[in-house]
Amino acid sequence: MSIRLRDLIKNVRGSKTAAEERAVIQKECAAIRTSFKEEDAENRHRNVAKLLYIHMLGYPTHFGQMECLKLIVAPGYTDKRIGYLGLMLLLDENQEVLMLVTNSLKNDLNHPNQFIVGLALTALGNIGTTGMARDTAPEVEKLLASTNPYIRKKAALAAIRVLRKVPELLDNFVPRIKALLTERNHGVLLTGVTLMVELTQAATDAVLDPFRKLVPSLVRILKNLVLSGYAPEHDVSGVTDPFLQVKILRLLRMLGKGDSEASDQMNDILAQVATNTESTKNVGNAILYEAVQTIMTIEAEPGLRVMAINILGRFLLNRDNNIRYVALNTLSKVVNADVQAVQRHRNTIVDCLKDPDVSIRRRALDLIYSLVNESNIRILVRELLNFLLISDVQFRPELVAKLCIVTEKYAPSKRWHVDTILRVMSIAGAFIPDEVPANLVALISSSPELHSYAVQKLYLALTQDSSHGPLTQVAVWCIGEFGDLLVADKTGASEGAKEGDESISITVSEGDVVDLVEQVVRDPLSTVPVRQYALTSLMKLTTRFSPSLAQRIKATIETYRSNLNVELQQRSVEYSNLFRWEAVRTQVLDRMPVLEPPSRSEVDGAPAGEPVRTPAAAPVPVHTQSAPVADLLGDLLGMGPTPTPTVPTNVQPKSSSATTLDLLGDLFGPSPTPAPAQPSAATNRPPASMGLDIMDLLGGPAVPTTIPSPSMGINSGMGGMNLGLGATSPHTASPHATSPQMSAQTSTPTSPQPGSNAFTGYNKQGVTIVFEAAKQPGAPQNTVVQATYTNANGFPLSNFSLQAAVPKHLKIQMAPPSGNAVPASNAGKVTQLIRIQNSEHGSKPIILRLKIDYAWQNGPVSDMADVNFPAGL
């Protein structure tokens, strides 16, 4: 004979091992099966109750499902209670057994006992299928008009399930739902408002319009709750029925969204809720938070929005971390609606960076990035730098990237810009993005007033620590370029400084500078790119400093003639042989042409989070006599065979200025004008009178130079000549290698002009990629494409990347994207510049095969698509 439920629980809890517990359960299950076979109706409800407990422990209880149906059809309330409970726990809506319950359910819905009706409504609301919902809908609709509050609130909750399964029945229920709002019983009101909230979440305007007419009634109910006195039956910590207040506020938010008339009706009551609700208790904070959400969602008045943001500011002062997190999260969502109101709480937000909770620090960081502008850039960047000193490793990559972005976008002066980037490099050099050193070099090179100041700052930084790769590379590049300014008179060192900028003036000897660079070269911790930069820097110092140091530098360079690294060995051999040509060494190692930095209008107009790219520099004319020098420079710096305009031998130049050479075009890519056909090898050699035979200069057969990958940015090549402008990211490079001609022509991509061809290349799952293409003037085979990525989903996309493959007749080069996170709801965009060279333009079109990867709330997504460009591109 089976035991009582209380004894079963006692035996299970008394089991000392899992095996002993299984033995107890198996024994009891065997006794229950025997009882079911004997049709023991008297103990059936007790056996099913024990099965429910066994089911909670995780043991199989499927053999008791039919017994639940037998209990449901029993006449007694006790049996029905256990039967419906077992039905909801042991079965789900996919079980075919539920088809047998529908008739019993309909009978119980019409039962005179209110508690049996409540059992049936509860079961229908939990496991009702589509068929059950359709069959029982008339009974549920009738029960919504019952005079019994207990039945009405149960019927309202069951109606949620019915309308979820059969939405087309909504019109039948609308009059009954309106009547629920006239009930004085708070339980019925709460379930009625809950039913309306469920129906309006995914409803259309046709469904919302009848509900919007109920806004005055909802406002009246909420006003009574806010202004009513103490009600013991509904009071929670001094607040009258906070659950009903929260539900009504949530419903008002849905009804007022996008409807100015409904929003005007609820403005006054929202102000009263925000003013009269106490924030000292957690229930008051819950109501205030819901009120803030409603105010920021509807078409509220500006003053009401400021009040809502001030409430969130008070939340930031709360000791509860959950409330502070909610406040930061909500401020991040509404900061674009009223930036000035959020700026008033800037100091409190910055203090959150010191919170021990990592989630609060992360939310505070995201919010601070949105608050940075020209007026507070100095203060906020200083706080972010202080946080960078103590931040965890998990914060540093994103923190460094965004610090560099806001510095480039809102820098008040070039000197402050340089100081800030150097500070970031010295603190977290290992996390510096590749484009940051390139942009810094371009900024220094294009600003003559920064040359002396920057080289002194970098010299001091290098003397203190040479372990940071990007900082060391920029430092040795600047020392090589402007070493003469480092040891010169510093009388005008403060030129170009603005209020708040730092000034510096140091006295350094030429020997100290050479010692420091030689230390970098010999440092065993220095990487190969750093040593390449340092060797080139030493070579350039031979023309900046006195000739007495030339032999010392030459000896240092010659020690790498037999180095195991081919790049270092090649540089050593070429530079050692260059010492024999005093007449051309000065010209070869002359200062690099000035680069144009990004204009202020471009920086200010860049979207938030988008890195600023440096446009192409203006051509600098050089006399014809330097043409062989430029060819030599390409060999020395590892630029590879760059196509340069050459003067045919049968044409005599009119003057030295008539045959100028675009040296900058050799280094960073020529203008889009097609280069003339390459003459023969004999034609390429300079006249014998010039004495510049390349083979003689290098002391024998030319060592084949390595063409650096465009993706290497500032880390590629020697002497920092490749600044990574328009560099191709490694993960977006085409499977076909970019030809030297294309690399020269596309090293600095620029955006297509307005009015160019724009078309949608990809549109799936809310993700849209629009291509805007334009031809380069004078080069129809080259196409400049700007890809714009937008996201229409209600959640952001992270780790977004685009890869492209092209046929053999195409060459493609892709610049780094402006970011890898695409904002939700089309609130922002990510752009990427692409250069395409069509070697068979006019006969074959441009075809791309795209691979799109990103992560969203359901996990990573990967997709492929083919894009056919319009004819003529």
Side-chain angles (χ1 to χ4, degrees):
M1 181 173 178
S2 63
I3 59 178
R4 294 183 302 174
L5 175 61
R6 183 182 302 175
D7 296 333
L8 174 61
I9 296 174
K10 183 178 180 180
N11 292 341
V12 170
R13 290 181 176 178
S15 302
K16 297 182 178 179
T17 62
E20 188 177 346
E21 178 185 301
R22 286 194 298 270
V24 172
I25 296 298
Q26 290 173 359
K27 180 180 178 181
E28 188 59 31
C29 285
I32 292 174
R33 284 193 182 94
T34 302
S35 179
F36 287 160
K37 290 179 181 178
E38 295 175 353
E39 294 293 335
D40 186 3
E42 182 180 353
N43 294 319
R44 181 176 289 142
H45 69 279
R46 178 192 296 176
N47 291 330
V48 173
K50 288 187 290 185
L51 278 181
L52 296 181
Y53 175 69
I54 294 173
H55 173 76
M56 292 169 60
L57 296 178
Y59 294 95
T61 55
H62 56 277
F63 58 89
Q65 293 176 354
M66 292 304 298
E67 301 302 317
C68 295
L69 301 184
K70 294 178 182 179
L71 288 175
I72 290 174
V73 298
Y77 172 76
T78 306
D79 291 340
K80 285 182 178 292
R81 182 181 61 179
I82 297 298
Y84 277 117
L85 183 60
L87 187 74
M88 289 183 286
L89 291 179
L90 302 183
L91 286 83
D92 56 48
E93 59 178 295
N94 298 321
Q95 298 284 344
E96 295 182 358
V97 182
L98 286 179
M99 297 174 59
L100 306 175
V101 187
T102 306
N103 190 47
S104 298
L105 203 61
K106 288 174 68 68
N107 293 334
D108 288 339
L109 288 175
N110 296 310
H111 201 279
N113 189 329
Q114 63 173 354
F115 299 108
I116 293 179
V117 176
L119 289 176
L121 289 171
T122 303
L124 177 62
N126 279 278
I127 60 170
T129 63
T130 302
M132 292 172 63
R134 184 176 286 106
D135 293 339
T136 57
E139 284 77 10
V140 174
E141 181 184 350
K142 184 178 69 173
L143 292 174
L144 281 173
S146 172
T147 57
N148 190 329
Y150 176 81
I151 294 179
R152 292 185 72 183
K153 67 180 181 181
K154 294 281 187 180
L157 295 176
I160 296 177
R161 181 82 175 193
V162 171
L163 294 178
R164 280 181 182 174
K165 295 296 182 180
V166 194
E168 57 268 21
L169 297 178
L170 176 62
D171 293 338
N172 300 334
F173 280 82
V174 169
R176 303 294 187 184
I177 295 173
K178 292 180 180 180
L180 292 176
L181 297 182
T182 62
E183 180 67 40
R184 298 180 62 86
N185 186 283
H186 282 215
V188 178
L189 276 175
L190 181 60
T191 54
V193 173
T194 303
L195 174 58
M196 294 180 65
V197 168
E198 292 292 330
L199 296 179
T200 53
Q201 281 183 345
T204 60
D205 290 338
V207 177
L208 289 177
D209 288 340
F211 289 156
R212 287 197 173 107
K213 298 178 182 178
L214 301 177
V215 169
S217 300
L218 294 169
V219 169
R220 177 180 50 80
I221 296 171
L222 183 58
K223 186 176 181 179
N224 292 336
L225 291 173
V226 173
L227 301 180
S228 65
Y230 175 72
E233 65 274 16
H234 302 130
D235 184 83
V236 179
S237 299
V239 179
T240 303
D241 204 344
F243 304 101
L244 181 56
Q245 291 191 45
V246 167
K247 283 290 185 180
I248 293 176
L249 287 170
R250 188 172 301 172
L251 179 58
L252 290 176
R253 178 167 77 245
M254 296 176 181
L255 297 177
K257 183 178 181 180
D259 190 289
S260 57
E261 182 179 354
S263 300
D264 291 340
Q265 295 174 350
M266 60 184 76
N267 276 334
D268 292 340
I269 187 59
L270 291 176
Q272 292 181 15
V273 172
T275 305
N276 298 334
T277 305
E278 291 188 22
S279 60
T280 56
K281 301 291 181 63
N282 201 37
V283 289
N285 290 328
I287 295 174
L288 287 174
Y289 172 70
E290 203 66 40
V292 169
Q293 292 277 73
T294 303
I295 292 171
M296 301 308 297
T297 302
I298 68 173
E299 307 295 327
E301 299 173 352
L304 202 56
R305 289 177 176 269
V306 173
M307 181 187 296
I309 292 176
N310 291 338
I311 292 174
L312 295 176
R314 292 204 307 268
F315 281 1
L316 294 178
L317 302 175
N318 200 298
R319 293 184 179 182
D320 190 341
N321 281 353
N322 294 323
I323 295 177
R324 299 171 70 190
Y325 179 87
V326 164
L328 289 170
N329 196 30
T330 309
L331 284 172
S332 299
K333 296 177 181 178
V334 305
V335 64
N336 294 328
D338 195 340
V339 179
Q340 294 302 322
V342 181
Q343 287 280 6
R344 299 190 186 101
H345 307 281
R346 186 181 64 208
N347 295 333
T348 309
I349 297 170
V350 170
D351 289 339
C352 291
L353 291 176
K354 305 171 186 176
D355 195 279
D357 192 322
V358 62
S359 60
I360 291 181
R361 295 201 304 270
R362 186 177 294 279
R363 287 300 177 192
L365 269 179
D366 294 339
L367 184 54
I368 288 174
Y369 296 142
S370 304
L371 296 179
V372 177
N373 54 34
E374 292 86 349
S375 61
N376 59 23
I377 179 68
R378 293 180 185 267
I379 299 173
L380 290 183
V381 166
R382 182 168 62 247
E383 295 292 343
L384 292 176
L385 287 174
N386 293 335
F387 177 69
L388 182 61
L389 289 169
I390 60 174
S391 62
D392 301 330
V393 176
Q394 58 181 335
F395 280 99
R396 293 203 166 192
E398 181 183 4
L399 178 57
V400 168
K402 291 190 175 180
L403 256 175
C404 295
I405 289 173
V406 298
T407 300
E408 292 181 1
K409 185 176 182 181
Y410 298 112
S413 66
K414 294 181 179 179
R415 182 171 293 198
W416 182 89
H417 185 175
V418 171
D419 290 338
T420 304
I421 296 297
L422 293 183
R423 177 76 168 156
V424 174
M425 284 183 172
S426 62
I427 296 175
F431 302 97
I432 295 293
D434 292 339
E435 67 270 11
V436 172
N439 291 341
L440 180 60
V441 166
L443 175 64
I444 296 173
S445 174
S446 62
S447 307
E449 69 275 10
L450 287 179
H451 291 174
S452 177
Y453 175 78
V455 74
Q456 293 180 75
K457 289 284 292 186
L458 288 164
Y459 177 83
L460 290 177
L462 196 58
T463 55
Q464 296 170 3
D465 187 4
S466 61
S467 61
H468 301 295
L471 178 61
T472 305
Q473 291 178 20
V474 176
V476 295
W477 185 91
C478 285
I479 290 175
E481 288 295 316
F482 314 117
D484 52 336
L485 302 178
L486 183 59
V487 299
D489 183 19
K490 308 298 189 307
T491 304
S494 60
E495 180 183 355
K498 295 185 178 180
E499 183 179 356
D501 290 343
E502 183 182 350
S503 298
I504 187 173
S505 180
I506 61 174
T507 303
V508 184
S509 65
E510 295 178 348
D512 294 338
V513 177
V514 175
D515 289 341
L516 181 61
V517 180
E518 288 181 344
Q519 178 184 343
V520 173
V521 175
R522 295 174 178 145
D523 189 349
L525 299 180
S526 295
T527 62
V528 172
V530 170
R531 293 185 181 182
Q532 293 172 358
Y533 275 82
L535 281 179
T536 304
S537 177
L538 284 174
M539 192 61 194
K540 289 192 173 186
L541 290 178
T542 59
T543 62
R544 284 18 171 211
F545 290 168
S546 59
S548 59
L549 293 172
Q551 291 303 318
R552 172 185 170 182
I553 294 175
K554 179 181 179 183
T556 302
I557 292 175
E558 286 183 342
T559 58
Y560 289 87
R561 292 175 69 98
S562 58
N563 193 278
L564 294 178
N565 185 273
V566 178
E567 289 290 336
L568 293 178
Q569 182 186 127
Q570 178 180 340
R571 298 303 179 264
S572 177
V573 171
E574 293 174 351
Y575 293 162
S576 298
N577 283 280
L578 188 57
F579 276 101
R580 296 188 294 140
W581 304 90
E582 294 293 338
V584 298
R585 181 157 57 89
T586 302
Q587 301 177 34
V588 170
L589 302 176
D590 196 7
R591 190 164 293 170
M592 285 187 61
V594 176
L595 302 175
E596 288 186 7
S599 63
R600 174 55 65 183
S601 60
E602 291 175 350
V603 174
D604 292 341
E610 182 177 350
V612 180
R613 288 178 173 77
T614 309
V620 178
V622 181
H623 292 292
T624 348
Q625 294 179 351
S626 301
V629 179
D631 294 336
L632 175 62
L633 189 61
D635 289 337
L636 292 177
L637 302 181
M639 298 301 293
T642 306
T644 58
T646 56
V647 180
T649 54
N650 58 347
V651 178
Q652 292 294 333
K654 299 179 180 179
S655 64
S656 59
S657 60
T659 54
T660 58
L661 175 67
D662 187 356
L663 179 59
L664 191 58
D666 287 339
L667 298 180
F668 299 105
S671 60
T673 328
Q678 296 292 334
S680 63
T683 310
N684 265 337
R685 295 183 75 126
S689 60
M690 298 183 66
L692 293 180
D693 192 299
I694 284 290
M695 304 300 291
D696 295 338
L697 177 63
L698 300 181
V703 182
T705 56
T706 307
I707 302 176
S709 170
S711 63
M712 295 172 66
I714 194 171
N715 296 325
S716 65
M718 289 304 301
M721 307 305 286
N722 183 355
L723 297 181
L725 304 178
T728 303
S729 329
H731 63 280
T732 59
S734 167
H736 306 289
T738 305
S739 66
Q741 290 84 355
M742 183 181 179
S743 177
Q745 295 177 358
T746 61
S747 58
T748 309
T750 56
S751 301
Q753 296 298 322
S756 54
N757 296 297
F759 63 94
T760 301
Y762 180 86
N763 189 358
K764 190 181 296 185
Q765 296 182 347
V767 180
T768 304
I769 302 178
V770 176
F771 295 100
E772 186 175 0
K775 288 294 185 182
Q776 284 189 350
Q781 73 277 10
N782 292 338
T783 304
V784 183
V785 182
Q786 177 171 287
T788 303
Y789 316 135
T790 55
N791 171 27
N793 296 296
F795 41 83
L797 308 180
S798 58
N799 300 327
F800 190 95
S801 69
L802 177 72
Q803 302 180 50
V806 296
K808 292 184 178 180
H809 69 279
L810 300 177
K811 304 295 182 183
I812 187 170
Q813 187 176 22
M814 304 177 69
S818 61
N820 64 352
V822 187
S825 304
N826 293 326
K829 63 182 179 180
V830 175
T831 59
Q832 187 171 10
L833 288 178
I834 306 173
R835 281 293 186 101
I836 302 174
Q837 185 184 54
N838 188 353
S839 60
E840 300 186 23
H841 174 69
S843 59
K844 290 187 178 181
I846 297 178
I847 302 175
L848 302 182
R849 171 157 291 181
L850 306 181
K851 185 175 185 295
I852 303 101
D853 298 288
Y854 56 87
W856 64 349
Q857 61 180 7
N858 295 330
V861 177
S862 183
D863 195 11
M864 297 187 70
D866 291 335
V867 178
N868 296 321
F869 276 57
L873 291 179

